[in-house]
Amino acid sequence: MRSVRARAALGATLVVAVALTVAGLAVLLVLRGNLTDRAGLEAEVTAREVAGELALGQAYAELEASDDDSHPVQVTDEEGRVVAVSKDLEAISGTGASQVVPASPAPVPSPGDDDDDDDDDGTAPPRSEVSSDPPDFTNGTATVDGETADYRFATVEVTTQKDVTLTVHAGAPLAAEQEAVNTVRTSMLAGLPVMLLVVAGVTWLVTRRALRPVEGIRRELAAITASEDLGRRVPEPDSRDEIARLARTTNETLTVLEGSVDRQRRFVADASHELRSPIASLRTQLEVGAAHPELLDVPGAVADTVRLQVLAADLLLLARLDAGERPGRTAVDLGALVREEVSQRAADRIPPEVSVTDAELLEVGGSRGQLARVVGNLLDNAERHAERSVAVSVRADRGDVLVEVTDDGAGVPEAERARIFERFVRLDDARSRDDGGAGLGLAIARDVASRHGGTLTVGTAPGGGARFTLRLPGRPGAGAAGDG
């Protein structure tokens, strides 16, 4: 039962078995009811024929309808005494009167007996009639000519010309009904196992065929796991069903995973390369200082240590962002944040010019520490490339908050505007690492902006330099800025 095919076949078989059982019982009940009703109709016809003869004054011994052996008849009076029975009827049950042979002498006059009293007094005889009420039906048995069988009895009342009320019990055999029901039941019981085997077999084959692509996907994924080759893809069926969508989604996941692994590998390689330089420089200075203390370059060692510390902090932040770390949702006033960041840059070569408008609408939700890192990285980049001026502005724009950092440097070529946000990318390959940094500032800024639901783009400033635009969704009416 660990196989989907086995569970599907078993489930389908159980459902069909229950459905066939219920349907079979319904068919048997309907068939039995119809045949019983037909037998009841036959019994009613016979009973009304006998009642009609009695109403016309036919004598008990001369009743023609009671001569049919297949439809036993019993006639009783108002006191339940049997006054007439059909030919060869030996015993009967189910009519309420077990006596078969009429009592002798019969206390009830035959409908055909003459009654001179009616003629003498000149009064008309009472009107005879057969009851028009629906007959009562019962089931019972009757023994006719030594054979006992089940019958459906109909009971009809009749009033004779002598004002005598008689009850006619006429039966119709249920042998045909029983035989038909038994035949149908036997056929169903014999055919049910065959039908269930067919259903189980067909379900097994159909499920096996439907799940065959899934097995192919599983084998290919197992091979990819064993070979660690994320460039391979699982086969995609030509159908448009759920399995085809599963295959396409699996391949899309593999593509994303392959890209992530490739970026991680490049990140590790680039990080190792970037770390090697300051560590080697610091080690060289320390070794020289150990051998020749008078030659120790303390400022250089401090600078390399600071650069190594900044690089390690950037790598740790990128690792946390790659791990899916989500920023907090405290309210941050970007206007106040920008002013604070600029006030801490008194030693910059070019002091930034600050412009903040609509201060009451400049709050965003996020991490204050990460947003401060974004503003600082953008200012560092502008400071590095500017010639005479650096400007930063904060304003509201259609529910968002825009932070724009511009410089009057050479700008960013249009073909390189997407590439500069990649990690460890420097457009000026000839410049030194000490002057150009590790190439992580803009990558960090873009990732932080993205995780805050915003964007970071680069364009051309009015003065011809670069203009970096940070757009974040605003939160008007938020509380005081918090630390993140």
Side-chain angles (χ1 to χ4, degrees), residues 197-232:
L197 287 176
V198 172
V199 171
V202 171
T203 304
W204 176 277
L205 294 177
V206 171
T207 308
R208 178 182 179 184
R209 181 178 180 84
L211 295 179
R212 186 176 301 166
V214 177
E215 179 62 21
I217 295 174
R218 187 202 64 79
R219 286 197 301 266
E220 186 62 26
L221 284 176
I224 293 174
T225 302
S227 63
E228 298 183 358
D229 182 9
L230 296 178
R232 300 173 60 173

mmCIF file of all heavy atoms in Angstrom, residues 197-232:
data_model
loop_
_atom_site.group_PDB
_atom_site.id
_atom_site.type_symbol
_atom_site.label_atom_id
_atom_site.label_comp_id
_atom_site.label_asym_id
_atom_site.label_seq_id
_atom_site.Cartn_x
_atom_site.Cartn_y
_atom_site.Cartn_z
ATOM 1 N N LEU A 197 -12.814 -6.814 -10.228
ATOM 2 C CA LEU A 197 -11.490 -7.128 -10.780
ATOM 3 C C LEU A 197 -11.185 -6.274 -12.000
ATOM 4 O O LEU A 197 -10.056 -5.788 -12.178
ATOM 5 C CB LEU A 197 -11.429 -8.614 -11.131
ATOM 6 C CG LEU A 197 -11.344 -9.591 -9.948
ATOM 7 C CD1 LEU A 197 -11.377 -11.036 -10.445
ATOM 8 C CD2 LEU A 197 -10.079 -9.343 -9.125
ATOM 9 N N VAL A 198 -12.190 -6.083 -12.842
ATOM 10 C CA VAL A 198 -11.994 -5.242 -14.024
ATOM 11 C C VAL A 198 -11.682 -3.806 -13.610
ATOM 12 O O VAL A 198 -10.770 -3.159 -14.149
ATOM 13 C CB VAL A 198 -13.233 -5.308 -14.928
ATOM 14 C CG1 VAL A 198 -13.122 -4.278 -16.051
ATOM 15 C CG2 VAL A 198 -13.398 -6.699 -15.518
ATOM 16 N N VAL A 199 -12.444 -3.284 -12.646
ATOM 17 C CA VAL A 199 -12.217 -1.910 -12.185
ATOM 18 C C VAL A 199 -10.824 -1.758 -11.586
ATOM 19 O O VAL A 199 -10.102 -0.791 -11.870
ATOM 20 C CB VAL A 199 -13.297 -1.514 -11.165
ATOM 21 C CG1 VAL A 199 -12.951 -0.181 -10.502
ATOM 22 C CG2 VAL A 199 -14.653 -1.416 -11.838
ATOM 23 N N ALA A 200 -10.426 -2.726 -10.746
ATOM 24 C CA ALA A 200 -9.095 -2.656 -10.134
ATOM 25 C C ALA A 200 -8.003 -2.715 -11.189
ATOM 26 O O ALA A 200 -7.028 -1.950 -11.136
ATOM 27 C CB ALA A 200 -8.931 -3.795 -9.127
ATOM 28 N N GLY A 201 -8.156 -3.616 -12.179
ATOM 29 C CA GLY A 201 -7.141 -3.731 -13.222
ATOM 30 C C GLY A 201 -7.043 -2.492 -14.084
ATOM 31 O O GLY A 201 -5.940 -2.002 -14.379
ATOM 32 N N VAL A 202 -8.201 -1.961 -14.481
ATOM 33 C CA VAL A 202 -8.178 -0.763 -15.325
ATOM 34 C C VAL A 202 -7.613 0.431 -14.553
ATOM 35 O O VAL A 202 -6.812 1.206 -15.092
ATOM 36 C CB VAL A 202 -9.608 -0.461 -15.827
ATOM 37 C CG1 VAL A 202 -9.660 0.892 -16.528
ATOM 38 C CG2 VAL A 202 -10.069 -1.555 -16.782
ATOM 39 N N THR A 203 -8.009 0.566 -13.302
ATOM 40 C CA THR A 203 -7.483 1.676 -12.497
ATOM 41 C C THR A 203 -5.971 1.556 -12.318
ATOM 42 O O THR A 203 -5.239 2.555 -12.400
ATOM 43 C CB THR A 203 -8.167 1.701 -11.118
ATOM 44 O OG1 THR A 203 -9.587 1.770 -11.295
ATOM 45 C CG2 THR A 203 -7.705 2.895 -10.306
ATOM 46 N N TRP A 204 -5.506 0.351 -12.091
ATOM 47 C CA TRP A 204 -4.057 0.137 -11.946
ATOM 48 C C TRP A 204 -3.316 0.542 -13.217
ATOM 49 O O TRP A 204 -2.303 1.252 -13.166
ATOM 50 C CB TRP A 204 -3.803 -1.333 -11.619
ATOM 51 C CG TRP A 204 -2.351 -1.700 -11.542
ATOM 52 C CD1 TRP A 204 -1.517 -2.022 -12.580
ATOM 53 C CD2 TRP A 204 -1.530 -1.738 -10.372
ATOM 54 N NE1 TRP A 204 -0.265 -2.283 -12.129
ATOM 55 C CE2 TRP A 204 -0.228 -2.109 -10.774
ATOM 56 C CE3 TRP A 204 -1.778 -1.515 -9.024
ATOM 57 C CZ2 TRP A 204 0.808 -2.273 -9.875
ATOM 58 C CZ3 TRP A 204 -0.728 -1.661 -8.132
ATOM 59 C CH2 TRP A 204 0.533 -2.039 -8.554
ATOM 60 N N LEU A 205 -3.829 0.103 -14.368
ATOM 61 C CA LEU A 205 -3.152 0.409 -15.629
ATOM 62 C C LEU A 205 -3.212 1.902 -15.945
ATOM 63 O O LEU A 205 -2.204 2.505 -16.365
ATOM 64 C CB LEU A 205 -3.783 -0.398 -16.765
ATOM 65 C CG LEU A 205 -3.598 -1.918 -16.683
ATOM 66 C CD1 LEU A 205 -4.340 -2.605 -17.822
ATOM 67 C CD2 LEU A 205 -2.124 -2.293 -16.726
ATOM 68 N N VAL A 206 -4.388 2.504 -15.751
ATOM 69 C CA VAL A 206 -4.516 3.923 -16.054
ATOM 70 C C VAL A 206 -3.639 4.757 -15.123
ATOM 71 O O VAL A 206 -2.956 5.704 -15.556
ATOM 72 C CB VAL A 206 -5.993 4.352 -15.946
ATOM 73 C CG1 VAL A 206 -6.127 5.869 -16.042
ATOM 74 C CG2 VAL A 206 -6.817 3.690 -17.047
ATOM 75 N N THR A 207 -3.646 4.427 -13.832
ATOM 76 C CA THR A 207 -2.805 5.166 -12.879
ATOM 77 C C THR A 207 -1.323 4.971 -13.182
ATOM 78 O O THR A 207 -0.532 5.921 -13.090
ATOM 79 C CB THR A 207 -3.118 4.704 -11.444
ATOM 80 O OG1 THR A 207 -4.514 4.769 -11.207
ATOM 81 C CG2 THR A 207 -2.394 5.570 -10.434
ATOM 82 N N ARG A 208 -0.970 3.760 -13.572
ATOM 83 C CA ARG A 208 0.432 3.508 -13.910
ATOM 84 C C ARG A 208 0.857 4.352 -15.097
ATOM 85 O O ARG A 208 1.951 4.933 -15.101
ATOM 86 C CB ARG A 208 0.609 2.032 -14.219
ATOM 87 C CG ARG A 208 2.027 1.654 -14.646
ATOM 88 C CD ARG A 208 2.096 0.174 -14.986
ATOM 89 N NE ARG A 208 3.435 -0.206 -15.411
ATOM 90 C CZ ARG A 208 3.760 -1.419 -15.846
ATOM 91 N NH1 ARG A 208 2.825 -2.365 -15.893
ATOM 92 N NH2 ARG A 208 4.997 -1.675 -16.222
ATOM 93 N N ARG A 209 -0.001 4.440 -16.101
ATOM 94 C CA ARG A 209 0.329 5.237 -17.277
ATOM 95 C C ARG A 209 0.378 6.729 -16.927
ATOM 96 O O ARG A 209 1.253 7.460 -17.407
ATOM 97 C CB ARG A 209 -0.704 4.990 -18.369
ATOM 98 C CG ARG A 209 -0.440 5.775 -19.661
ATOM 99 C CD ARG A 209 -1.478 5.451 -20.717
ATOM 100 N NE ARG A 209 -1.245 6.187 -21.942
ATOM 101 C CZ ARG A 209 -0.411 5.808 -22.891
ATOM 102 N NH1 ARG A 209 0.271 4.683 -22.766
ATOM 103 N NH2 ARG A 209 -0.248 6.533 -23.981
ATOM 104 N N ALA A 210 -0.559 7.165 -16.081
ATOM 105 C CA ALA A 210 -0.586 8.582 -15.720
ATOM 106 C C ALA A 210 0.608 8.984 -14.875
ATOM 107 O O ALA A 210 1.099 10.114 -14.975
ATOM 108 C CB ALA A 210 -1.889 8.897 -14.970
ATOM 109 N N LEU A 211 1.090 8.061 -14.032
ATOM 110 C CA LEU A 211 2.209 8.381 -13.129
ATOM 111 C C LEU A 211 3.569 8.065 -13.723
ATOM 112 O O LEU A 211 4.586 8.271 -13.054
ATOM 113 C CB LEU A 211 2.037 7.625 -11.805
ATOM 114 C CG LEU A 211 0.820 8.022 -10.961
ATOM 115 C CD1 LEU A 211 0.768 7.174 -9.703
ATOM 116 C CD2 LEU A 211 0.857 9.498 -10.611
ATOM 117 N N ARG A 212 3.590 7.549 -14.937
ATOM 118 C CA ARG A 212 4.887 7.233 -15.541
ATOM 119 C C ARG A 212 5.780 8.461 -15.669
ATOM 120 O O ARG A 212 6.980 8.386 -15.384
ATOM 121 C CB ARG A 212 4.645 6.600 -16.912
ATOM 122 C CG ARG A 212 5.920 6.081 -17.580
ATOM 123 C CD ARG A 212 5.576 5.379 -18.884
ATOM 124 N NE ARG A 212 4.673 4.258 -18.635
ATOM 125 C CZ ARG A 212 4.001 3.635 -19.590
ATOM 126 N NH1 ARG A 212 4.107 4.043 -20.846
ATOM 127 N NH2 ARG A 212 3.211 2.625 -19.295
ATOM 128 N N PRO A 213 5.251 9.653 -16.075
ATOM 129 C CA PRO A 213 6.128 10.837 -16.109
ATOM 130 C C PRO A 213 6.661 11.211 -14.724
ATOM 131 O O PRO A 213 7.775 11.734 -14.610
ATOM 132 C CB PRO A 213 5.210 11.930 -16.671
ATOM 133 C CG PRO A 213 4.141 11.208 -17.418
ATOM 134 C CD PRO A 213 3.933 9.932 -16.660
ATOM 135 N N VAL A 214 5.871 10.964 -13.681
ATOM 136 C CA VAL A 214 6.349 11.277 -12.326
ATOM 137 C C VAL A 214 7.563 10.431 -11.984
ATOM 138 O O VAL A 214 8.530 10.918 -11.374
ATOM 139 C CB VAL A 214 5.217 11.061 -11.305
ATOM 140 C CG1 VAL A 214 5.713 11.311 -9.894
ATOM 141 C CG2 VAL A 214 4.040 11.962 -11.612
ATOM 142 N N GLU A 215 7.535 9.172 -12.369
ATOM 143 C CA GLU A 215 8.687 8.315 -12.117
ATOM 144 C C GLU A 215 9.903 8.812 -12.881
ATOM 145 O O GLU A 215 11.035 8.777 -12.381
ATOM 146 C CB GLU A 215 8.348 6.875 -12.516
ATOM 147 C CG GLU A 215 9.481 5.883 -12.315
ATOM 148 C CD GLU A 215 9.916 5.745 -10.868
ATOM 149 O OE1 GLU A 215 9.116 6.099 -9.977
ATOM 150 O OE2 GLU A 215 11.061 5.321 -10.630
ATOM 151 N N GLY A 216 9.679 9.300 -14.133
ATOM 152 C CA GLY A 216 10.797 9.875 -14.888
ATOM 153 C C GLY A 216 11.367 11.104 -14.210
ATOM 154 O O GLY A 216 12.591 11.293 -14.169
ATOM 155 N N ILE A 217 10.488 11.948 -13.669
ATOM 156 C CA ILE A 217 10.957 13.130 -12.944
ATOM 157 C C ILE A 217 11.753 12.712 -11.704
ATOM 158 O O ILE A 217 12.801 13.283 -11.400
ATOM 159 C CB ILE A 217 9.751 14.018 -12.565
ATOM 160 C CG1 ILE A 217 9.083 14.572 -13.819
ATOM 161 C CG2 ILE A 217 10.183 15.147 -11.643
ATOM 162 C CD1 ILE A 217 7.805 15.329 -13.544
ATOM 163 N N ARG A 218 11.257 11.704 -10.997
ATOM 164 C CA ARG A 218 11.948 11.249 -9.795
ATOM 165 C C ARG A 218 13.332 10.713 -10.121
ATOM 166 O O ARG A 218 14.318 11.009 -9.422
ATOM 167 C CB ARG A 218 11.113 10.172 -9.099
ATOM 168 C CG ARG A 218 11.661 9.754 -7.741
ATOM 169 C CD ARG A 218 11.171 8.397 -7.349
ATOM 170 N NE ARG A 218 11.653 7.369 -8.255
ATOM 171 C CZ ARG A 218 12.872 6.845 -8.217
ATOM 172 N NH1 ARG A 218 13.754 7.260 -7.328
ATOM 173 N NH2 ARG A 218 13.239 5.923 -9.085
ATOM 174 N N ARG A 219 13.420 9.895 -11.180
ATOM 175 C CA ARG A 219 14.727 9.333 -11.548
ATOM 176 C C ARG A 219 15.717 10.430 -11.932
ATOM 177 O O ARG A 219 16.902 10.383 -11.559
ATOM 178 C CB ARG A 219 14.553 8.347 -12.696
ATOM 179 C CG ARG A 219 13.936 7.015 -12.301
ATOM 180 C CD ARG A 219 14.184 5.962 -13.364
ATOM 181 N NE ARG A 219 13.626 6.379 -14.644
ATOM 182 C CZ ARG A 219 12.403 6.050 -15.079
ATOM 183 N NH1 ARG A 219 11.621 5.312 -14.316
ATOM 184 N NH2 ARG A 219 11.969 6.460 -16.258
ATOM 185 N N GLU A 220 15.228 11.424 -12.681
ATOM 186 C CA GLU A 220 16.133 12.490 -13.099
ATOM 187 C C GLU A 220 16.582 13.330 -11.907
ATOM 188 O O GLU A 220 17.753 13.728 -11.823
ATOM 189 C CB GLU A 220 15.438 13.368 -14.137
ATOM 190 C CG GLU A 220 16.335 14.437 -14.762
ATOM 191 C CD GLU A 220 17.504 13.836 -15.525
ATOM 192 O OE1 GLU A 220 17.382 12.681 -15.993
ATOM 193 O OE2 GLU A 220 18.542 14.520 -15.639
ATOM 194 N N LEU A 221 15.667 13.593 -10.974
ATOM 195 C CA LEU A 221 16.057 14.335 -9.777
ATOM 196 C C LEU A 221 17.066 13.546 -8.951
ATOM 197 O O LEU A 221 18.006 14.123 -8.384
ATOM 198 C CB LEU A 221 14.825 14.652 -8.927
ATOM 199 C CG LEU A 221 13.933 15.789 -9.430
ATOM 200 C CD1 LEU A 221 12.703 15.921 -8.547
ATOM 201 C CD2 LEU A 221 14.705 17.105 -9.453
ATOM 202 N N ALA A 222 16.878 12.234 -8.868
ATOM 203 C CA ALA A 222 17.849 11.406 -8.161
ATOM 204 C C ALA A 222 19.208 11.461 -8.840
ATOM 205 O O ALA A 222 20.258 11.525 -8.170
ATOM 206 C CB ALA A 222 17.343 9.966 -8.082
ATOM 207 N N ALA A 223 19.204 11.443 -10.187
ATOM 208 C CA ALA A 223 20.471 11.536 -10.913
ATOM 209 C C ALA A 223 21.127 12.900 -10.711
ATOM 210 O O ALA A 223 22.359 12.991 -10.571
ATOM 211 C CB ALA A 223 20.228 11.270 -12.406
ATOM 212 N N ILE A 224 20.316 13.960 -10.690
ATOM 213 C CA ILE A 224 20.872 15.296 -10.461
ATOM 214 C C ILE A 224 21.483 15.385 -9.067
ATOM 215 O O ILE A 224 22.569 15.956 -8.872
ATOM 216 C CB ILE A 224 19.778 16.358 -10.652
ATOM 217 C CG1 ILE A 224 19.339 16.414 -12.117
ATOM 218 C CG2 ILE A 224 20.254 17.730 -10.188
ATOM 219 C CD1 ILE A 224 18.154 17.332 -12.371
ATOM 220 N N THR A 225 20.784 14.804 -8.091
ATOM 221 C CA THR A 225 21.310 14.822 -6.723
ATOM 222 C C THR A 225 22.621 14.051 -6.627
ATOM 223 O O THR A 225 23.568 14.491 -5.955
ATOM 224 C CB THR A 225 20.280 14.224 -5.761
ATOM 225 O OG1 THR A 225 19.056 14.968 -5.858
ATOM 226 C CG2 THR A 225 20.786 14.280 -4.325
ATOM 227 N N ALA A 226 22.673 12.909 -7.313
ATOM 228 C CA ALA A 226 23.888 12.098 -7.249
ATOM 229 C C ALA A 226 25.045 12.757 -7.974
ATOM 230 O O ALA A 226 26.195 12.706 -7.515
ATOM 231 C CB ALA A 226 23.610 10.710 -7.834
ATOM 232 N N SER A 227 24.776 13.388 -9.115
ATOM 233 C CA SER A 227 25.862 13.988 -9.908
ATOM 234 C C SER A 227 26.178 15.418 -9.500
ATOM 235 O O SER A 227 27.222 15.948 -9.901
ATOM 236 C CB SER A 227 25.478 13.967 -11.391
ATOM 237 O OG SER A 227 24.328 14.764 -11.629
ATOM 238 N N GLU A 228 25.260 16.067 -8.730
ATOM 239 C CA GLU A 228 25.411 17.470 -8.333
ATOM 240 C C GLU A 228 25.530 18.382 -9.543
ATOM 241 O O GLU A 228 26.144 19.450 -9.475
ATOM 242 C CB GLU A 228 26.621 17.652 -7.413
ATOM 243 C CG GLU A 228 26.508 16.882 -6.107
ATOM 244 C CD GLU A 228 27.683 17.134 -5.187
ATOM 245 O OE1 GLU A 228 28.585 17.873 -5.601
ATOM 246 O OE2 GLU A 228 27.683 16.609 -4.070
ATOM 247 N N ASP A 229 24.941 17.958 -10.667
ATOM 248 C CA ASP A 229 24.946 18.756 -11.886
ATOM 249 C C ASP A 229 23.605 19.472 -11.992
ATOM 250 O O ASP A 229 22.614 18.909 -12.460
ATOM 251 C CB ASP A 229 25.168 17.850 -13.107
ATOM 252 C CG ASP A 229 25.221 18.652 -14.402
ATOM 253 O OD1 ASP A 229 25.252 19.893 -14.320
ATOM 254 O OD2 ASP A 229 25.223 18.035 -15.490
ATOM 255 N N LEU A 230 23.568 20.723 -11.559
ATOM 256 C CA LEU A 230 22.326 21.484 -11.578
ATOM 257 C C LEU A 230 21.974 21.994 -12.965
ATOM 258 O O LEU A 230 20.936 22.639 -13.143
ATOM 259 C CB LEU A 230 22.420 22.661 -10.609
ATOM 260 C CG LEU A 230 22.564 22.279 -9.130
ATOM 261 C CD1 LEU A 230 22.693 23.528 -8.270
ATOM 262 C CD2 LEU A 230 21.363 21.461 -8.680
ATOM 263 N N GLY A 231 22.813 21.708 -13.945
ATOM 264 C CA GLY A 231 22.493 22.106 -15.313
ATOM 265 C C GLY A 231 21.517 21.163 -15.994
ATOM 266 O O GLY A 231 20.974 21.486 -17.051
ATOM 267 N N ARG A 232 21.283 20.001 -15.413
ATOM 268 C CA ARG A 232 20.343 19.044 -15.995
ATOM 269 C C ARG A 232 18.918 19.433 -15.643
ATOM 270 O O ARG A 232 18.668 20.121 -14.659
ATOM 271 C CB ARG A 232 20.657 17.631 -15.492
ATOM 272 C CG ARG A 232 22.049 17.155 -15.845
ATOM 273 C CD ARG A 232 22.400 15.839 -15.191
ATOM 274 N NE ARG A 232 21.489 14.761 -15.586
ATOM 275 C CZ ARG A 232 21.677 13.488 -15.252
ATOM 276 N NH1 ARG A 232 22.728 13.139 -14.507
ATOM 277 N NH2 ARG A 232 20.826 12.570 -15.653
#
